[in-house]
Amino acid sequence: MDVLSRRALNRATLERQLLLGRTGAPALEVVERLAGLQAQDPDPPYVGLWSRVTGFRHDDLTTLLYERRVVRATLYRGTQHLVSAADYRWLRPLLEPMLERWRRGAFGRATPGVDPAELAATARGLLSGGVLNRPELGRALAERWPGADPVALARSVQGLLPVVHPPPDGTWGRRGPTPFTLADDWLGAPQAATSEGARELLLRYLAAFGPATVKDAQAWSGLTRLRAVADELRPRLAVFRDEEGAELLDLPEAPRPDPDTPAPVRFLAALDNVVLGHADRRRLMTAEGRRHVGVYAALLVDGFVRGLWEIRRAKGTATLEVRLLAPLTDAEEAAVAEEGERLLRFAAADAPRHDLRLQPME
C-alpha cells in the first residue's frame, strides 16, 4: 500500500481546492466542486472564490444569491455555509439528525420545557410565506415560551427547520440582523432526501479534500458513522497510508500531484474549509498554526500556513497586516507583497491608499 507524505497530501489537497492555480470555471461550479463555502460572515466566501477563480468579481456571487442558485444556511458542523440550491435540497435532509444534536447541545439548556416539535411547528407557521429576521422571530416565539431565551429559540429553528437566509444577507459588506425564510418557499421546491445521500457526500468530500481518513470526513461534515459508508464504497476507492500509518481513502482518478509541484502564495478566506476540513490538519499547518486559524485568516506560502492576515482601515488607507509564523525568504516576501496588492485591489478597492505590513507573531 502506497504511503503519502505530508507534502504529497498538501499538494493533492491544494489541487482539489483550486489553490495550485486559479480556474476559469464559473463561480457556481466552484461552489459545488468545493461542496460549499464556509460563510459564518458575509465577506469570506467572496475572498474564498477570489483566491480560486480567475477574474472573480463580487457580482459573480451576489447574483447567484439573488437568483436563488446559491443559498446561505446552517449546514456542516452546525455552521453557516453557502451551497448551491441543488445541493441544499439533498444535503439538508441528510444533515438533519446532526443539526438536531447541534441544536440540543448548543441551545437545549436555554430552552427548558420547550418541545422541539412544537417549536418547529410554531416557527413554520410564523415563517410561512414570509421573512422574519432573527430578533423578530425570537420575540414572536417568546410570546409562546416567555421563560425561554428569545435568541436561543430563534437559533434553535436553524437546527429544527430547513430555513435559509436570503439576500441581502450573505452579500459583500452586509451587516445587520439575519433574515429567516423557509427553504421550500425560497427555492420553490421541497427537500429531496435520498438513500444515496451519505455516499454522495463522502465521494464529494474526497473529491474536494482527499486523500483523507474517515475521521477527516466526519470532522468536516459533523456527521458520525461514516465508517460504514466508507466500507460500502471501498471497492470503488483507492487506499493509501500516511506517514503515521493511518488509512487514507481517495477517488482512484483524483489528481495527486508531485510533492515538488510549486504552490503559489494564497491569502485564504477566514475559516476557509481547506484549513478546517480535516481532523488531522498537518498537511497544511503546524500545531502553532492550528491554534490561530480558527480565529484569523491564513496565508499560504509554499502551500503551508505561514502567516495570518487581516485588512485594517484608517485615515483613507487600507492596510493588509500579515503576522508571520516563521520568517520568509526575500523571494517569498516579494510574492506575498504581489499577491497582497491583488487582494487589496479586490477587498479594498474603495480605499484611496493601500499598504502592506509584515511582522512576526507576538
Side-chain angles (χ1 to χ4, degrees):
M1 188 180 299
D2 290 344
V3 175
L4 299 179
S5 67
R6 178 173 174 243
R7 193 173 183 88
L9 292 174
N10 174 276
R11 292 312 195 251
T13 302
L14 296 181
E15 174 67 21
R16 318 283 174 94
Q17 289 282 319
L18 304 172
L19 292 168
L20 286 185
R22 287 181 168 92
T23 180
L28 179 61
E29 182 179 321
V30 173
V31 171
E32 291 192 329
R33 173 170 173 166
L34 300 178
L37 299 170
Q38 172 72 246
Q40 288 296 96
D41 292 313
D43 295 354
Y46 288 82
V47 176
L49 288 170
W50 168 84
S51 67
R52 293 168 167 90
V53 178
T54 302
F56 176 76
R57 303 168 304 163
H58 295 85
D59 283 350
D60 295 339
L61 178 54
T62 301
T63 298
L64 292 174
L65 287 162
Y66 274 100
E67 290 180 348
R68 309 187 187 197
R69 291 192 286 166
V70 165
V71 295
R72 182 174 187 244
T74 301
L75 293 167
Y76 310 118
R77 308 183 301 278
T79 60
Q80 293 289 312
H81 276 73
L82 293 185
V83 297
S84 72
D87 280 345
Y88 180 86
R89 292 191 181 100
W90 65 268
L91 267 174
R92 181 55 176 74
L94 175 66
L95 297 175
E96 184 169 333
M98 179 273 295
L99 291 172
E100 167 55 18
R101 292 194 302 274
W102 165 79
R103 178 206 65 82
R104 206 163 49 240
F107 308 110
R109 290 186 179 180
T111 55
V114 176
D115 178 67
E118 186 179 355
L119 175 57
T122 302
R124 183 180 292 278
L126 291 168
L127 293 171
S128 182
V131 178
L132 292 175
N133 66 40
R134 186 180 286 144
E136 291 170 338
L137 179 60
R139 288 193 294 269
L141 292 170
E143 292 180 8
R144 169 63 185 82
W145 292 279
D149 177 5
V151 174
L153 289 170
R155 292 290 301 274
S156 293
V157 172
Q158 294 170 238
L160 291 170
L161 286 180
V163 294
V164 298
H165 310 303
D169 186 68
T171 59
W172 180 263
R174 166 70 175 177
R175 297 294 182 270
T178 300
F180 284 49
T181 194
L182 295 175
D184 291 358
D185 290 346
W186 181 253
L187 297 176
Q191 309 305 290
T194 169
S195 61
E196 297 293 315
R199 289 185 283 275
E200 174 67 14
L201 182 69
L202 184 56
L203 293 172
R204 293 277 292 275
Y205 171 76
L206 293 175
F209 295 90
T213 67
V214 172
K215 286 184 178 180
D216 289 330
Q218 292 181 159
W220 164 76
S221 65
L223 293 178
T224 57
R225 302 179 182 178
L226 288 182
R227 171 60 64 185
V229 179
D231 288 342
E232 289 179 21
L233 291 171
R234 187 173 293 273
R236 300 168 52 183
L237 301 177
V239 182
F240 303 94
R241 297 281 181 188
D242 68 15
E243 293 172 316
E244 283 73 44
E247 182 183 74
L248 301 164
L249 304 177
D250 203 8
L251 306 182
E253 70 280 8
R256 289 177 286 276
D258 188 291
D260 292 326
T261 302
V265 166
R266 287 291 182 260
F267 287 88
L268 299 179
L271 299 175
D272 195 303
N273 270 332
V274 73
V275 297
L276 301 176
H278 301 86
D280 183 348
R281 301 179 190 172
R282 288 176 294 178
R283 70 181 66 198
L284 282 170
M285 69 194 77
T286 64
E288 173 69 8
R290 179 163 183 159
R291 287 199 311 116
H292 299 287
V293 295
V295 180
Y296 299 101
L299 165 70
L300 298 185
V301 178
D302 188 31
F304 293 90
V305 175
R306 297 279 294 281
L308 310 164
W309 69 269
E310 62 181 328
I311 295 175
R312 295 181 178 271
R313 294 172 180 257
K315 299 179 180 179
T317 299
T319 301
L320 175 56
E321 296 187 354
V322 179
R323 284 164 290 172
L324 298 173
L325 297 169
L328 303 179
T329 66
D330 290 345
E332 288 171 341
E333 282 198 15
V336 168
E338 183 178 356
E339 184 72 358
E341 179 53 37
R342 293 192 193 102
L343 173 61
L344 285 165
R345 289 199 297 269
F346 173 79
D350 58 322
R353 294 177 299 278
H354 293 161
D355 192 16
L356 171 68
R357 294 179 185 172
L358 300 178
Q359 58 191 33
M361 283 289 293
E362 297 177 355

